[in-house]
Amino acid sequence: MISIGMDIGSVAAKGVLLNGDKQYKIVIPTGWSPREAGERILSEICKKADCKETQVASMVVTGYGRVAFEKADRTVTEISCHARGVAYLCPEVKTIIDVGGQDSKVISINPQGKVLDFAMNDKCAAGTGRFLQVTANALGLDVSEIGEREDPAEQAAINSMCTVFAESEIIGLLARNTSKGGIIAGLHQSVARRVVGMARRLGIQGKVAFTGGVALNRGVRRALEEELKSPVIVPEECQFTGALGAALLALK
Ligand code: ADP
């Protein structure tokens, strides 16, 4: 049985196709049309898996763009899909910290991937990938580069939570010759402080997994471990946990 899970996010659209023990993945920019992103994922992932769209038995779609993609058999919330995906990849995890393009979430789960509780920040760009994208641009860098460019030994204090004010703060720090590596380390710490604050309010149980596109940034992971004072597990497919969870739910 072939199933597809899609996570059409604000920044990136991810797809996972499951065919027996084979797994295929694809990620593309969502762009301005979540519906077109869904269509593209469907055709490209079928091509990659060498199957026809008509052979797909079931398709579950999640993410902010899920309502726009009408070909889905079912839509499921991101919280449930991330929980299912992480429980499959790391059954020992009880707390998930997911930081995506425009929101961050903390989810408590049981070993079967059932959601016990969750908290979400989707009101403000602070503590999200958007904050890092905008501030990386202010430093003349792409968000995919900053994880490698930080210098925690020179960490600068970033006091503004607001993305717009943080951008001005960076311009001021650069004018005072603060190193870019130090500013980046400060930005990573700012994101980590914000999400760990939310996690503490929800309650941190057992082992913690860090997922979402921002988990690709090893500087944020370092900062998160510092704030939590304990290690976090980053699944290899950290950006795909929602899409994987959707594909697994589609098998049911
Ligand atoms: P969404 O589901 O909201 O589209 P994702 O979970 O896919 O979000 O995460 C997107 C965010 O991940 C981007 O805003 C960016 O900050 C971060 N990101 C994406 N690719 C990379 C990368 N290669 N290195 C570091 N960060 C990345």
Side-chain angles (χ1 to χ4, degrees):
M1 171 174 167
I2 299 177
S3 79
I4 289 181
M6 259 186 228
D7 176 2
I8 307 179
S10 60
V11 174
K14 286 79 61 178
V16 170
L17 183 149
L18 300 177
N19 184 2
D21 56 1
K22 293 204 190 75
Q23 195 184 105
Y24 302 86
K25 299 192 294 272
I26 201 161
V27 56
I28 59 167
T30 301
W32 63 273
S33 166
R35 191 185 55 76
E36 279 180 20
E39 291 285 357
R40 215 180 115 197
I41 292 264
L42 179 59
S43 84
E44 288 188 18
I45 207 161
C46 285
K47 206 179 291 167
K48 199 169 178 183
D50 198 17
C51 71
K52 294 195 178 69
E53 285 180 27
T54 48
Q55 288 175 276
V56 177
S58 178
M59 184 157 51
V60 167
V61 181
T62 187
Y64 107 105
R66 62 184 180 272
V67 286
F69 189 60
E70 288 143 4
K71 282 191 183 167
D73 295 301
R74 224 160 23 112
T75 59
V76 177
T77 67
E78 287 154 87
I79 304 287
S80 301
C81 290
H82 282 295
R84 188 69 191 85
V86 171
Y88 178 82
L89 293 171
C90 330
E92 70 278 25
V93 163
K94 293 210 172 113
T95 303
I96 304 167
I97 294 180
D98 182 89
V99 185
Q102 73 177 16
D103 64 28
S104 42
K105 334 177 199 5
V106 182
I107 312 166
S108 293
I109 58 170
N110 75 6
Q112 288 71 47
K114 185 171 181 291
V115 177
L116 302 176
D117 203 357
F118 72 94
M120 191 161 177
N121 160 36
D122 57 358
K123 299 279 180 284
C124 162
T128 72
R130 181 85 191 134
F131 176 84
L132 292 174
Q133 276 183 267
V134 171
T135 50
N137 290 347
L139 290 165
L141 297 168
D142 185 77
V143 73
S144 60
E145 299 175 80
I146 58 173
E148 309 300 318
R149 297 282 297 265
E150 72 162 7
D151 181 0
E154 298 265 309
Q155 187 168 304
I158 305 288
N159 299 308
S160 314
M161 281 285 183
C162 166
T163 308
V164 178
F165 289 140
E167 215 180 343
S168 317
E169 204 178 337
I170 288 168
I171 293 163
L173 286 166
L174 287 172
R176 292 198 295 282
N177 286 327
T178 311
S179 76
K180 276 194 184 181
I183 296 173
I184 295 168
L187 293 169
H188 293 159
Q189 209 67 37
S190 163
V191 171
R193 225 176 20 245
R194 180 92 179 182
V195 294
V196 169
M198 182 165 66
R200 291 225 166 91
R201 285 191 292 280
L202 184 77
I204 301 166
Q205 315 280 338
K207 293 205 170 149
V208 177
F210 178 29
T211 64
V214 174
L216 293 168
N217 177 328
R218 70 172 188 187
V220 180
R221 173 183 175 170
R222 170 205 58 80
L224 208 54
E225 291 183 330
E226 256 176 54
E227 286 291 323
L228 287 167
K229 298 184 183 57
S230 66
V232 295
I233 298 168
V234 180
E236 203 186 316
E237 293 137 328
C238 59
Q239 200 177 10
F240 289 91
T241 51
L244 173 65
L248 291 166
L249 290 170
L251 284 176
K252 278 195 171 176

